[in-house]
Amino acid sequence: MKATVSDTLMNFMLELKHATASPINIWEVQIECENENDICRVEGQSGRRKEISTGSKLLKRHMIGYFSIGEDASIGFGFEKHRSSSTFWNKYYYGWEGFKKLCGYALYPMR
């Protein structure tokens, strides 16, 4: 008997529900400077630099090593164009952008 789309989707959702989460591509990064407070952070679109007061020459942070220029970037870009102050509408637009990519729908076809 051939599985229907709804059966396949249901099986996938059940597998996803019982899946074990594990962190991937999470690194601890250490930055060592010659002097204390030599580390700066760029803030917002102004590009203003702000010193990070670490009180030492060593700064430790966690970094998520993820890079993509594919479909997820396109979904994120489409979402950002419609971002609002409403959580509901933000979720709606993010879902809509993902749905468009899933179905192969392109608002602006590539030539």
Side-chain angles (χ1 to χ4, degrees):
M1 182 164 113
K2 189 173 180 181
T4 64
V5 173
S6 61
D7 290 338
T8 304
L9 183 58
M10 182 60 76
N11 288 337
F12 174 74
M13 296 304 288
L14 287 172
E15 287 179 23
L16 189 61
K17 180 181 177 184
H18 298 292
T20 304
S22 61
I24 53 174
N25 279 341
I26 299 177
W27 310 330
E28 183 177 82
V29 178
Q30 294 185 24
I31 301 171
E32 190 170 347
C33 298
E34 290 183 16
N35 302 310
E36 291 182 13
N37 300 328
D38 273 354
I39 301 170
C40 293
R41 172 177 62 207
V42 177
E43 293 196 339
Q45 293 179 345
S46 67
R48 211 176 64 228
R49 291 172 50 126
K50 179 181 178 183
E51 280 191 8
I52 299 173
S53 179
T54 61
S56 74
K57 296 179 183 181
L58 187 65
L59 177 70
K60 292 183 183 181
R61 293 288 190 266
H62 284 93
M63 180 179 115
I64 298 174
Y66 178 78
F67 176 78
S68 174
I69 56 172
E71 295 298 314
D72 53 341
S74 178
I75 291 168
F77 180 70
F79 165 72
E80 287 297 331
K81 290 192 298 186
H82 297 98
R83 182 185 285 273
S84 73
S85 59
S86 165
T87 302
F88 171 80
W89 286 112
N90 285 340
K91 289 179 181 179
Y92 168 81
Y93 284 122
Y94 202 85
W96 173 245
E97 291 297 325
F99 179 75
K100 288 191 317 188
K101 297 302 177 209
L102 180 68
C103 295
Y105 175 82
L107 188 59
Y108 303 104
M110 296 179 71
R111 297 175 193 251

